[in-house]
């Protein structure tokens, strides 16, 4: 399986707590006005990486991991496979998405990665709700959701 990756940032502290490896995936149809990463909208941007290549990078740094983009949930099967491998290697996994947790839970396909995630930051970026004082999110509608708190 191949992943379209725009960038990998090792040691970031803005995409979740502590030092993390952030993987930015290509592709997003939300196209939020004033998105900070509009080059991520194109599903063909970036370079292809295999699961093995991504895991090698993750293991080099031993940081927890953030999956972002774009929106990783536009490719939920691939993200579930990657999140499972990351989770099984002992790392915590955060995922940023423009979908809400309600939309994710209502979709069998979108919810595929859920068993392997620790935290989801959900919801589209809404410029009118922008708040630079928020931790790990851009607008006040976005929520930091501990997956363990969701139950079944």
């Amino acid at each position: 399986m191949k992943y379209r990756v725009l960038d990998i940032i090792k040691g970031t502290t803005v995409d979740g707590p502590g030092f993390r490896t952030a993987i930015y995936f290509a592709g997003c149809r939300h196209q939020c006005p004033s998105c900070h990463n509009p080059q991520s909208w194109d599903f063909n941007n970036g370079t292809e990486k295999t699961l093995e290549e991504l895991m090698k990078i993750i293991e080099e740094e031993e940081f927890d991991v953030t999956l972002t983009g774009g929106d990783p949930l536009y490719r939920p099967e691939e993200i579930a496979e990657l999140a499972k491998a990351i989770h099984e290697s002992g790392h915590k996994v955060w995922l940023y998405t423009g979908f809400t947790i309600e939309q994710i839970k209502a979709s069998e396909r979108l919810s595929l990665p859920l068993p392997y995630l620790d935290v989801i930051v959900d919801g589209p970026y809404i410029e009118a709700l922008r708040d630079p004082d928020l931790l790990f999110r851009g607008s006040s509608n976005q929520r930091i959701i501990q997956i363990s708190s969701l139950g079944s």
Side-chain angles (χ1 to χ4, degrees):
M1 193 169 293
K2 299 277 188 170
Y3 298 84
R4 295 296 301 186
V5 176
L6 294 170
D7 200 3
I8 299 172
I9 301 177
K10 301 175 189 176
T12 182
T13 58
V14 298
D15 295 316
F19 289 100
R20 311 185 70 74
T21 298
I23 304 173
Y24 289 78
F25 294 95
C28 186
R29 291 189 187 100
H30 301 296
Q31 299 186 359
C32 304
S34 297
C35 171
H36 78 282
N37 203 6
Q39 69 275 17
S40 71
W41 297 353
D42 186 341
F43 285 83
N44 296 311
N45 275 350
T47 58
E48 286 191 342
K49 301 264 186 222
T50 65
L51 176 66
E52 294 75 22
E53 289 171 320
L54 291 174
M55 289 307 298
K56 183 177 180 202
I57 291 165
I58 289 165
E59 292 302 321
E60 285 172 358
E61 298 298 327
E62 298 185 11
F63 298 137
D64 287 332
V65 179
T66 298
L67 308 176
T68 189
D71 190 329
L73 287 187
Y74 278 108
R75 294 197 170 115
E77 295 85 3
E78 291 94 334
I79 294 303
E81 179 185 57
L82 176 61
K84 180 179 181 185
I86 296 167
H87 180 78
E88 289 177 349
S89 71
H91 299 285
K92 301 266 188 240
V93 183
W94 278 43
L95 182 138
Y96 281 77
T97 180
F99 294 103
T100 65
I101 194 65
E102 293 80 11
Q103 291 171 309
I104 295 165
K105 287 176 71 177
S107 167
E108 186 176 322
R109 187 168 177 255
L110 289 178
S111 63
L112 288 172
L114 281 182
Y116 314 109
L117 302 175
D118 295 284
V119 171
I120 286 182
V121 180
D122 82 332
Y125 172 73
I126 299 175
E127 186 176 16
L129 299 177
R130 180 182 182 274
D131 184 345
D133 295 326
L134 291 172
L135 195 58
F136 307 131
R137 52 211 163 114
S139 57
S140 61
N141 63 297
Q142 296 171 314
R143 300 170 288 183
I144 298 173
I145 301 167
Q146 297 285 334
I147 299 303
S148 61
S149 70
L150 291 178
S152 330

